[in-house]
Structures are given as C-alpha cells and as structure tokens.
Amino acid sequence: MYESDLGVANIMTESSHLLPELEEFLRSHRDELNQLYRMQWLQTRNLQSPEFLQTFQDLANAYLKSSGGSESGASAGALLGIYRLLLQTLPSRSWSREIRDVLESALLDFPALVQDQGLTFLSRIYNAVYSLQQHSLAPQRWWTLMRKLAFLDSEYTGARASRFYRIAASLSYLAGMVHLRKSALVELQSINDDEARALFPKVEKKALNQWLIQMEQNPWAGQSEPAPILAGGYQGFSSRMAAGGRGFFRPPELLGVDKEYDAIRLKDSRGNYLIFADRFGVQIAVAGDSIRESSEMGKVESPDGKAIQEARKAIRKASLPEPPELQGIHFKNTLFCVSPDSHFVWVVPVR
C-alpha cells in the first residue's frame, strides 16, 4: 500500500486518544482531508504519516482545550487551518521543534484569532518564527512579548486582525529584528493604553511615547552605558561569525548612509549590505548588487582621531578584538567601524 493511499482521516478516527470534537471533525471532513493529504504527498513524496498524524493531533488538541469546547462548526475552520499548515510545512526543511512549540502556544493563547483567521493567523506566526531563526534570533524572545497580549485575543478578530499583525511585527523588532526599526517605532507609538500596560508595565504611556520619539534619533536612548557590538565575520565559516546573522566574503568597506533605509551601507567583493543597530541588537541585510548613486546616499560625518581613540577604549573595555587600523562613519550617536584586515564591523555607541 502506498503512503498516499493510507487515508489520514481514516487512520485517525481509529485512534482511542482523540477528543470528541476532533473525532467529529475528522469524520465529517474525511473525504476532503484525505484528498488534501494525497495531493500533497504526490507533490512532495516525503510526508511521513506517523509524524504528521501525531503533530496534527497534538496541535488540534491544544486548540480545542483552549477554545473551551466551541461548536463543531466554529472549530472546523481552525482545525482545517492547522491541517493545511502542516501539509505545507512538515515536508520542508524549515520545520523545527521551536516552530512547533510556538504554534502550540499560539493555539493555546489566541484561540479566538485562530478560529477567526484560521490558516492566515497560523501562517503568519509560522513565517515570523522562521524569519527570526533566519536572522539568528531566538523566537521565544518574541513570543514572550506576544503572549502579553493574549488577554486581548478576541479584540483582534475581524477587521482588527490587520492591526494585530502590525503590532506583532513591531514586537519582532524589540526581539532583535532591528531592520524593522522605522516602521516599528511608529507602530508602537499607536498602541492603546491596555497594550502599553501589558507590554511596558513599568512605564507610563506618556513617558513611553517620549522614549519612542527619542529612539528615532538616538538608537541607544534609555541606556546609561550601552556597550559596543561586534557584527559580521567571515561568511565562509559559521564559527567565525558574530552578531547580525550575516558575514562578508571580504573585509567590508563603508559606503555611507542610505537615506531610503536610514542605515549604513557597506560592500564587499560580492555585493552591498545594510547594517542596522540599536539597543535591541544588530542586523546585516543584503541590499543589492550595485552601488547606489551618490544622490541617494546621505552626507556622513567622518570621525576624527579622538573619536577613533574613544572607540578603541570602548572596544577594549568590552573585551572585543581590536584591529591595528580602524576606519569609521558617525551616524545617529553611533560609530560604525571597519578594518582592511578584518571581516567584522564594530558598532560603538557614542554619547
């Protein structure tokens, strides 16, 4: 018997460990579920029925327990969303235990959104976790912030779901996706009092907005002694990579300030990059293969010898490697330094 002929829903209805609501869903949607599974198996040929069955059952049970026994019709869209998501993701290399854990937590913490949005909500959560992983960030840091909004679950349904997704993106910035900085700072200024108290319980809303405005010009606002950050490294060896989720093939060169992205632009032998840095981390992103025209590059302030010496003191104090030669660009209370003998970038906060 071929894997595609197993009939997933048929197998699952024979299990003695199903919740009644799940068993009813499987029986009433048997033909549709089996057909979806067979079509996906024929496309990928690498769906493993035992793993798929167990993962679907675990996630479905998490949702049903959290939803408080919703009517079967109301739960069907959510359960079908879980089923479709797993069909798309389990055969791929992007699936991980970490993604599974966050999805299970999302089903437990946001049952109203799951019921209302189904596959859309689950796909957004999945993509966010995968993107954080691709940027060498810990998804649990983001999800810890997301869970603080669980008490507003039902408030984000319907037309308000788009606002929830924007807030979720801004929280990923706080978790280290600092290339989302510009839009995130604007979005965070629009959160209401309930959201502000949940996310920033020790800060009054007025003070919070003042800090967010300060962050637009000073990426280290609120920190008394921000420490230098070592970013980049040699792309050829993961063991020689620092922060930022990306390295360089040759020692990088500083090109200037990219006005469109409000970030420093660099290049190596393969292409152009943007480096974003603030109190929440540092990220290096690919920015295309050609050098921008000078009209698109903002004026930069070249640091004098004294500024470089101060940067060296901060680098030594932070116990970071110190190259014999440093070249830098001063931008928004930050000195970005490179060396012709290194694949790293030194990000040094300046008071």
Side-chain angles (χ1 to χ4, degrees), residues 59-67 74-75 78-79 82 107 111 114-115:
L59 295 183
N61 286 346
Y63 164 71
L64 290 169
K65 290 176 181 177
S66 181
S67 63
S75 296
L79 294 173
I82 298 171
L107 292 165
V114 176
Q115 181 174 308

Side-chain angles (χ1 to χ4, degrees), residues 241-290:
M241 298 278 282
R246 180 177 295 279
F248 304 98
F249 294 94
R250 293 288 187 273
E253 300 177 37
L254 296 165
L255 296 178
V257 177
D258 189 295
K259 294 189 292 184
E260 179 181 357
Y261 295 102
D262 201 28
I264 295 296
R265 181 174 282 264
L266 311 91
K267 72 172 184 177
D268 66 2
S269 60
R270 299 287 185 91
N272 284 257
Y273 307 85
L274 296 169
I275 182 167
F276 304 82
D278 70 12
R279 59 177 297 169
F280 296 110
V282 59
Q283 286 295 323
I284 300 169
V286 175
D289 296 327
S290 60

Side-chain angles (χ1 to χ4, degrees), residues 113 116-117 155-166:
L113 265 169
D116 179 68
Q117 296 282 300
E155 300 296 320
Y156 293 126
T157 57
R160 291 164 294 189
S162 60
R163 184 167 179 278
F164 171 82
Y165 296 134
R166 292 196 303 272

Side-chain angles (χ1 to χ4, degrees), residues 112-320:
L113 265 169
V114 176
Q115 181 174 308
D116 179 68
Q117 296 282 300
L119 180 61
T120 299
F121 171 80
L122 296 170
S123 296
R124 296 259 190 150
I125 299 299
Y126 179 95
N127 290 335
V129 175
Y130 180 69
S131 182
L132 285 160
Q133 291 177 326
Q134 292 299 106
H135 286 82
S136 303
L137 298 171
Q140 282 298 337
R141 183 181 174 188
W142 169 69
W143 192 248
T144 297
L145 294 170
M146 290 288 290
R147 296 187 72 180
K148 293 182 178 183
L149 299 177
F151 74 104
L152 296 171
D153 177 27
S154 60
E155 300 296 320
Y156 293 126
T157 57
R160 291 164 294 189
S162 60
R163 184 167 179 278
F164 171 82
Y165 296 134
R166 292 196 303 272
I167 294 175
S170 69
L171 295 185
S172 69
Y173 155 68
L174 298 180
M177 300 276 274
V178 294
H179 56 288
L180 303 177
R181 168 191 174 81
K182 288 181 66 175
S183 59
L185 289 176
V186 173
E187 187 63 38
L188 288 170
Q189 290 178 54
S190 72
I191 60 177
N192 61 39
D193 290 344
D194 289 338
E195 293 162 340
R197 281 192 294 268
L199 294 171
F200 305 94
K202 298 182 179 180
V203 183
E204 294 184 359
K205 185 66 162 58
K206 183 179 180 180
L208 173 63
N209 284 339
Q210 290 175 343
W211 171 69
L212 291 169
I213 292 171
Q214 292 172 0
M215 282 287 291
E216 293 178 356
Q217 294 303 318
N218 178 11
W220 317 100
Q223 285 188 314
S224 58
E225 293 187 13
I229 303 172
L230 187 67
Y234 179 48
Q235 181 68 27
F237 297 105
S238 59
S239 61
R240 294 181 62 185
M241 298 278 282
R246 180 177 295 279
F248 304 98
F249 294 94
R250 293 288 187 273
E253 300 177 37
L254 296 165
L255 296 178
V257 177
D258 189 295
K259 294 189 292 184
E260 179 181 357
Y261 295 102
D262 201 28
I264 295 296
R265 181 174 282 264
L266 311 91
K267 72 172 184 177
D268 66 2
S269 60
R270 299 287 185 91
N272 284 257
Y273 307 85
L274 296 169
I275 182 167
F276 304 82
D278 70 12
R279 59 177 297 169
F280 296 110
V282 59
Q283 286 295 323
I284 300 169
V286 175
D289 296 327
S290 60
I291 298 177
R292 291 254 177 168
E293 297 294 333
S294 58
S295 61
E296 298 183 34
M297 301 294 289
K299 293 182 179 179
V300 298
E301 178 184 341
S302 298
D304 56 22
K306 182 179 179 181
I308 292 293
Q309 289 302 315
E310 291 298 318
R312 286 188 177 278
K313 290 180 182 179
I315 289 170
R316 286 194 292 269
K317 184 177 180 180
S319 299
L320 298 178

Side-chain angles (χ1 to χ4, degrees), residues 99-120:
I99 287 177
R100 182 198 180 285
D101 290 344
V102 173
L103 283 173
E104 184 171 357
S105 183
L107 292 165
L108 290 168
D109 295 328
F110 295 92
L113 265 169
V114 176
Q115 181 174 308
D116 179 68
Q117 296 282 300
L119 180 61
T120 299

